[in-house]
Amino acid sequence: MSVRRVCQAVFWSFFGVRKGRDLESDAAHIKPVHIVLAGMLGAVIFVVSLIVLVSWITH
Amino acid sequence: MQAHALEHEHGHGAPSGLMRWVTTTNHKDIGTLYLWFAAVMFLLAGSMAMAIRAELFQPGLQLVSPDFFNQLTTLHGLIMVFGVIMPAMTGFANWQVPLMIGAPDMAFPRMNNWSFWILPAAAILLVISLFLPGGAAAAGWTLYPPLFIQGGISYDLTIFAIHILGASSIMGSLNIITTILNMRAPGMTLMKMPLFVWTWLITAFLLIAVMPVLAGAVTMLLTDRNFDTHFFNAAGGGDPVLFQHVFWFFGHPEVYILILPAFGIVSQIIPTFARKPLFGYASMVYATASIAILSFLVWAHHMFTVGMPAVGQLYFMYATMLIAVPTGVKVFNWVATMWRGSLTFETPMLFAIAFVALFTIGGFTGLVLAMAPVDIQLHDTYYVVAHFHYVLVSGALFAIYAGVYYWLPKWTGHMYNETLGKWHFWLSMISFNVLFFPQHFLGLAGMPRRIPDYAVQFTEFNMISSIGGFVFGASQILMLIVVLQCIRGGRKAEAKPWEGAQGLEWTVPSPAPYHTFETPPVVK
Ligand code: HEM
Ligand SMILES: [Cu+2]
């Protein structure tokens, strides 16, 4: 459950939106290190998927 | 006023007079030093802007030589970024972070002293470079080679100054991070921290990540200039475009370094004067963090014209546009905080509202520039100048003004003169737009930036812009008067001068005593 939680939290943070209630449970259940790692992983996924998208557009 | 507090509380005889300021390790003293340093540098870089606008009042060359004009734009940019906005924000951090998290001081007080006191050295280097043979650096605040490699001794001084400024920022950031992570009062969990503390925590990480990159870039310039390396010299196998990549890998996160603490200040002020808690605190924290991460992934939107494969252009275009999403979320949250609040419009709130409105305009022109085909037309025109002044002057600077008016009662123990404050606001607000809005039109019509002369069809808008500039410049004297008046006297400020204010800083008396929270408060 914890991996999913972290991924959810990071996904919503890229969008910049998070419910206060979810945030409190995030704060209680997730370690900051996990957030940082997931955030960087999220950044990599973000870059790779954009690059795939634009290479597909320009093939 | 603090000298007197000092006598009462400092049994162990701190030095007085000038030595007090030189040797101080007190976060409030150091905060005050940073803020005054920023104010002095603002007058210096501001007078350069006045000279620039005077020269641009009419086409043709009237007042300054073209080379001196370029020295003025270069120093104006460098000093405003590194000597005004950044030190002012660090001044706020020094004053407010310990007060807001209930800490007695910063984590490394001696390093704090040192991070401030190397700043004047950098400023002096930049100022004396004006008087050296060939004058100051004239290659723009972006320091692009090959021009930057060809200049005289003052270019080396500029590099040295940037090294010093970077070292100061890194030390400041280490201090801020350690203070926030280790010295919070019992009960002050991360998710209870005021938003200003959050934005500074994230900014400090950004600073630590990118200041070494800038240091690397200018060191490569230094060795290219003096030790026969060829990092940026095509004739020696290097590439000037490499510099642009390295510089903007620093440069784009840097613009968020300038604006995130401003977001923090505004997020403190709007809830106070709307008498409602900040809408979406959690999403604000998340949005700030994601802006910070994304800011590393968009740098080449400054380089669409250097020649880039279509894939690269599209990637940087899409990534840049996506970064506007969390920024938009923030604007939405500020507006939602004001929605149906019981608003009052004291000067800090006026500046904060102007921030929301005008920063948004700057965000939108950023989106326009993010479109690669459009940017190829607009790059290096006045449209870019208009964009970044909307985000930096009506963004970062207005937030600084808002913060000064907001916390001045806490710092000095007196209320400032509200009438003068309102005059300062309205004059700044109107003249700012007269100054910079026409520059969008100039840019769209093709007027290049960093040029002392221009074609006659640009005359009217330049005249309007210059008039706005002179009024804006003059209005800032009002701010100085308000602050000096407030330090010297005025209506006594209560511990909590703003009805709707929340937070630990308002639980200590005004002026804040020299030492606060020696016993940590408990946050429920
Ligand atoms: C919505 C967010 C933003 C977007 C999409 C954006 C986009 C851009 C783009 C594409 C450029 C390059 C224009 C060119 O040189 O042709 C640019 C330049 C610039 N932006 Fe932004 N920007 C945004 C926010 C900001 C913020 C918040 C700041 C500072 C607080 C800022 C400061 C600057 C500066 C200083 C430059 C000019 C650098 C130079 O060439 O001297 N921008 N922006
Ligand atoms: Cu940028």
Side-chain angles (χ1 to χ4, degrees):
Chain A
M1 87 95 219
S2 158
V3 174
R4 224 186 98 190
R5 267 205 108 87
V6 175
C7 293
Q8 264 176 350
V10 167
F11 171 79
W12 283 110
S13 17
F14 276 124
F15 186 50
V17 179
R18 191 78 175 142
K19 279 206 202 93
R21 202 170 354 102
D22 294 347
L23 176 95
E24 270 153 35
S25 71
D26 286 356
H29 295 280
I30 306 177
K31 284 211 193 108
V33 198
H34 294 159
I35 286 280
V36 172
L37 286 179
M40 291 203 205
L41 189 71
V44 172
I45 295 173
F46 174 78
V47 172
V48 170
S49 42
L50 266 185
I51 290 178
V52 168
L53 176 71
V54 297
S55 339
W56 175 69
I57 291 172
T58 53
H59 42 258
Chain B
M1 94 282 165
Q2 277 179 1
H4 139 104
L6 191 74
E7 271 162 27
H8 287 281
E9 299 186 13
H10 233 161
H12 46 91
S16 56
L18 186 64
M19 282 318 278
R20 165 189 170 190
W21 297 101
V22 176
T23 60
T24 183
T25 54
N26 179 289
H27 73 102
K28 301 186 184 83
D29 280 356
I30 294 174
T32 306
L33 285 171
Y34 267 110
L35 287 163
W36 275 115
F37 177 79
V40 172
M41 288 292 113
F42 181 64
L43 292 179
L44 178 65
S47 45
M48 292 172 179
M50 293 298 105
I52 292 170
R53 278 322 318 171
E55 176 58 51
L56 292 176
F57 188 73
Q58 286 175 33
L61 298 174
Q62 287 89 26
L63 301 170
V64 293
S65 71
D67 187 52
F68 187 61
F69 184 90
N70 288 344
Q71 296 173 33
L72 289 176
T73 53
T74 303
L75 281 184
H76 166 78
L78 277 175
I79 296 176
M80 282 296 187
V81 168
F82 293 102
V84 179
I85 306 286
M86 290 171 73
M89 292 303 184
T90 317
F92 279 108
N94 265 290
W95 255 102
Q96 292 308 129
V97 166
L99 283 180
M100 290 174 133
I101 63 173
D105 205 306
M106 297 294 278
F108 306 117
R110 288 167 193 240
M111 186 165 80
N112 204 11
N113 171 294
W114 187 230
S115 3
F116 173 76
W117 276 110
I118 60 179
L119 285 183
I124 289 168
L125 283 176
L126 289 178
V127 172
I128 55 179
S129 75
L130 270 169
F131 303 100
L132 293 174
W141 83 278
T142 50
L143 318 170
Y144 281 6
L147 196 52
F148 199 86
I149 298 196
Q150 293 156 1
I153 175 84
S154 57
Y155 287 65
D156 295 311
L157 295 201
T158 307
I159 292 175
F160 192 31
I162 290 173
H163 274 136
I164 296 174
L165 294 162
S168 161
S169 295
I170 290 176
M171 288 191 285
S173 306
L174 292 173
N175 223 331
I176 289 168
I177 292 174
T178 316
T179 309
I180 297 175
L181 293 185
N182 290 339
M183 295 174 63
R184 276 169 288 128
M188 174 65 78
T189 58
L190 284 176
M191 281 301 164
K192 279 193 192 146
M193 293 196 311
L195 216 83
F196 177 70
V197 180
W198 257 115
T199 53
W200 242 116
L201 179 65
I202 293 169
T203 303
F205 277 108
L206 280 182
L207 273 167
I208 289 183
V210 299
M211 289 320 278
V213 177
L214 176 66
V218 296
T219 306
M220 288 190 272
L221 285 175
L222 186 78
T223 60
D224 269 15
R225 288 172 48 78
N226 300 296
F227 306 111
D228 260 345
T229 56
H230 301 285
F231 292 110
F232 308 129
N233 179 358
D239 187 350
V241 175
L242 170 66
F243 178 84
Q244 299 193 22
H245 280 292
V246 183
F247 181 86
W248 288 115
F249 190 78
F250 146 81
H252 191 80
E254 167 70 18
V255 307
Y256 285 95
I257 288 166
L258 300 170
I259 205 67
L260 290 183
F263 288 171
I265 293 174
V266 168
S267 305
Q268 300 299 128
I269 291 173
I270 289 183
T272 295
F273 296 98
R275 292 166 180 76
K276 274 174 66 194
L278 185 66
F279 183 89
Y281 169 89
S283 55
M284 289 297 240
V285 172
Y286 277 58
T288 311
S290 56
I291 289 174
I293 293 179
L294 295 174
S295 74
F296 285 98
L297 307 174
V298 297
W299 74 92
H301 63 218
H302 296 274
M303 305 169 54
F304 283 135
T305 54
V306 300
M308 207 190 290
V311 176
Q313 298 206 354
L314 279 174
Y315 165 79
F316 282 108
M317 170 170 147
Y318 291 169
T320 304
M321 294 180 137
L322 288 170
I323 203 176
V325 174
T327 313
V329 167
K330 286 184 164 271
V331 173
F332 175 82
N333 284 348
W334 290 317
V335 175
T337 306
M338 288 189 275
W339 181 254
R340 299 189 145 186
S342 41
L343 299 172
T344 49
F345 300 97
E346 287 85 347
T347 312
M349 183 61 161
L350 289 174
F351 273 109
I353 294 174
F355 171 97
V356 175
L358 299 180
F359 174 80
T360 306
I361 296 182
F364 275 122
T365 55
L367 282 173
V368 172
L369 291 168
M371 290 181 267
V374 178
D375 184 68
I376 288 167
Q377 307 299 310
L378 293 180
H379 179 64
D380 266 345
T381 68
Y382 261 82
Y383 195 88
V384 178
V385 177
H387 159 65
F388 67 73
H389 284 91
Y390 267 82
V391 282
L392 285 173
V393 178
S394 58
L397 186 69
F398 275 22
I400 290 170
Y401 284 163
V404 168
Y405 283 109
Y406 185 55
W407 283 304
L408 209 49
K410 180 57 61 193
W411 298 341
T412 64
H414 304 126
M415 297 309 283
Y416 61 86
N417 181 330
E418 189 64 54
T419 315
L420 278 187
K422 289 225 163 75
W423 271 99
H424 174 227
F425 169 75
W426 284 109
L427 283 171
S428 300
M429 170 77 185
I430 294 168
S431 60
F432 167 82
N433 284 294
V434 176
L435 164 57
F436 287 114
F437 207 79
Q439 296 187 3
H440 293 109
F441 305 136
L442 287 170
L444 288 167
M447 177 170 160
R449 64 191 280 208
R450 296 169 168 161
I451 302 282
D453 187 9
Y454 50 81
V456 283
Q457 71 267 31
F458 301 133
T459 311
E460 280 80 7
F461 281 135
N462 269 297
M463 282 191 173
I464 296 173
S465 179
S466 287
I467 291 169
F470 301 141
V471 178
F472 186 81
S475 318
Q476 305 321 304
I477 308 291
L478 265 182
M479 170 90 183
L480 195 65
I481 295 173
V482 175
V483 172
L484 289 175
Q485 254 190 6
C486 186
I487 292 173
R488 296 189 52 194
R491 193 156 57 78
K492 188 99 197 51
E494 293 155 34
K496 194 176 93 163
W498 312 117
E499 186 195 23
Q502 306 273 329
L504 288 176
E505 78 256 46
W506 309 111
T507 62
V508 303
S510 301
Y514 200 59
H515 296 293
T516 36
F517 298 130
E518 285 170 301
T519 23
V522 176
V523 183
K524 346 120 264 179

